[in-house]
Amino acid sequence: MPIYHTLGKIPAKRHTVFRKPDGGLYAEELVSTHGFSSTYSLVYHCHPPTLVKQISEPYAVQPKVAREKHLKHTSLKGFNIAPADDFLDSRKPVLVNNDLHISLAAPRHSMTGYFYKNSQADEIVFVHEGSGVLKTGYGQIRFEYGDYLLIPRGVIYQLHFDTPDNRLFIVESFSPVRTPKRYRNEHGQLMEHAPFCERDMKLPRDLETHDEQGDFKIVIKKEGLMYPYTYGTHPFDFVGWDGYHFPWGFSIHNFEPITGRLHQPPPVHQTFETDHFVLCSFCPRMYDYHPQSIPAPYNHSNVDSDEVLYYVDGDFMSRKSVERGQITLHPGGIPHGPHPGTVEKSIGQTKTDELAVMIDPFRPLMLTEEALEIEDRDYYKSWQID
Ligand SMILES: [Fe+2]
């Protein structure tokens, strides 16, 4: 997260005496990544964050891979994932490899009885339906339809929903999630040609200090297991913090599309990058304005990466019969392209209202048991002429 942010009270100098009104010391914690070599924050707790009261038996949440190797265009009906009351129960991994897990979730209830920490993956939570508040020790972020919530590994959080009707598209990335390097200058600032800027970021605000002791359940995810910990102090007992490691949000509706006279390639839609995949936002935009331009995409051989599209809203110009919440996976190794008739139909059109999230992983994705349950098995035949 290449921006500095601070909330609450912090001492003038790091690693110095910082006292509470009663004369006791606040507990300083360095939250660092990649050893001490990447982004970090300094957090000041009312109590040391180390008071473990109990560790209960861990339980497995490792995705159950059902189709490890394949070479078939695949479509999943994402909204057929059944809602579940609990947030963690509701998360259903559908496409996975060792670099990322893509899950769908339709949680009905807010997280009130426990807190959650993913200790080894950054999470991108895309809010397709629903609204509410992301609560963390770093502050709160109000979210709504179209928001990406970026929750770096190690951040303890709760999601509080306004209603039971929520649809989330969640990516766990085992390498850090960043804004694209080519859009950042040598100081880390997003440059003028970037499709969004720091002003568009939803930073945590309204820090609430919970100076509370008791029993606080934190479910910690590591290596495919969930470890239920009971701590003796409230995890949101920050009195202040500063640094670069914290959750933030960004609305897909604030992504400013880059357009041209001729068809622009997918990298113009890039929003985030990691060492192992990129994430792009396809947003409503004006079409190409060369008088002979073909707005529909060309056929494409993605020789060495898979392509995942998650359809959010609007008409998708190159596809027939696309539903909200649908996922398509076009694997590397075979070409894919517009559906029959869509190229001709696109000529002369001036704009699109499509909204979609694309992920290009650099290594093949596997399908889980949950994915096969919502698969449209005949999708690969959908390019046949009727
Ligand atoms: Fe493609």
Side-chain angles (χ1 to χ4, degrees), residues 266 297-302 306-307 309 319 330 336-337 358 360:
Y298 29 69
N299 295 298
H300 179 210
S301 268
N302 40 333
D306 284 5
E307 287 188 13
L309 261 174
R319 300 261 161 260
H330 298 140
H336 58 273
M358 186 174 89
D360 280 12

Side-chain angles (χ1 to χ4, degrees), residues 271-321:
T271 314
F272 306 116
E273 70 182 13
T274 75
D275 291 347
H276 302 291
F277 69 89
V278 297
L279 186 149
C280 302
S281 303
F282 285 77
C283 297
R285 61 192 181 279
M286 300 306 290
Y287 270 150
D288 323 324
Y289 45 89
H290 186 288
Q292 293 295 311
S293 70
I294 297 179
Y298 29 69
N299 295 298
H300 179 210
S301 268
N302 40 333
V303 170
D304 54 7
S305 80
D306 284 5
E307 287 188 13
V308 175
L309 261 174
Y310 177 72
Y311 300 91
V312 180
D313 266 313
D315 273 344
F316 218 77
M317 59 164 158
S318 58
R319 300 261 161 260
K320 296 187 299 186
S321 322

Side-chain angles (χ1 to χ4, degrees), residues 10-235:
I10 56 173
K13 196 96 181 139
R14 58 186 172 176
H15 320 321
T16 59
V17 171
F18 182 33
R19 293 200 183 277
K20 304 176 184 176
D22 68 3
L25 286 168
Y26 287 112
E28 185 183 55
E29 179 190 10
L30 171 68
V31 182
S32 69
T33 60
H34 208 251
F36 293 82
S37 304
S38 191
T39 54
Y40 65 92
S41 286
L42 276 169
V43 171
Y44 296 87
H45 296 273
C46 294
H47 306 279
T50 47
L51 204 167
V52 177
K53 289 179 118 173
Q54 190 179 331
I55 305 173
S56 302
E57 274 302 304
Y59 57 93
V61 291
Q62 190 71 25
K64 296 188 179 79
V65 173
R67 189 179 294 157
E68 183 181 350
K69 295 181 181 176
H70 58 93
L71 187 62
K72 189 172 91 165
H73 293 321
T74 301
S75 176
L76 309 177
K77 292 175 181 283
F79 275 16
N80 284 1
I81 289 285
D85 289 343
D86 176 66
F87 171 65
L88 292 179
D89 289 344
S90 75
R91 294 162 58 123
K92 306 296 182 198
V94 288
L95 299 172
V96 300
N97 66 20
N98 287 335
D99 304 323
L100 73 157
H101 292 177
I102 297 173
S103 298
L104 296 166
R108 276 192 288 243
H109 293 174
S110 296
M111 301 161 67
T112 51
Y114 69 96
F115 305 84
Y116 168 60
K117 172 164 79 170
N118 193 327
S119 73
Q120 62 175 155
D122 290 13
E123 294 194 352
I124 305 171
V125 178
F126 177 76
V127 181
H128 192 168
E129 290 186 350
S131 60
V133 181
L134 168 68
K135 296 194 171 197
T136 75
Y138 297 85
Q140 308 186 43
I141 299 171
R142 174 109 209 130
F143 64 81
E144 59 190 357
Y145 161 60
D147 280 347
Y148 294 105
L149 296 172
L150 293 109
I151 308 170
R153 66 201 63 200
V155 170
I156 300 167
Y157 73 84
Q158 282 185 331
L159 287 172
H160 289 246
F161 301 105
D162 293 334
T163 75
D165 302 315
N166 305 289
R167 288 278 172 186
L168 308 174
F169 174 81
I170 301 172
V171 185
E172 289 173 75
S173 171
F174 297 97
S175 59
V177 177
R178 306 177 292 258
T179 52
K181 193 164 187 299
R182 71 177 186 281
Y183 289 141
R184 282 184 270 124
N185 64 23
E186 64 189 297
H187 307 285
Q189 184 179 19
L190 289 164
M191 291 189 283
E192 271 290 307
H193 67 292
F196 55 98
C197 72
E198 286 80 0
R199 203 178 295 184
D200 299 318
M201 294 174 176
K202 289 187 167 189
L203 303 181
R205 51 196 294 180
D206 303 325
L207 183 95
E208 286 178 0
T209 304
H210 292 264
D211 182 359
E212 297 169 32
Q213 293 173 284
D215 290 337
F216 299 93
K217 183 177 174 189
I218 304 179
V219 180
I220 304 173
K221 185 172 188 182
K222 184 158 189 179
E223 300 277 341
L225 292 176
M226 292 288 200
Y227 294 88
Y229 267 62
T230 304
Y231 277 88
T233 57
H234 197 295

Side-chain angles (χ1 to χ4, degrees), residues 248-269:
W248 58 291
F250 171 69
S251 172
I252 196 169
H253 305 304
N254 277 328
F255 186 93
E256 300 300 335
I258 296 169
T259 59
R261 260 166 60 91
L262 297 174
H263 186 81
Q264 298 293 298
V268 300
H269 307 284

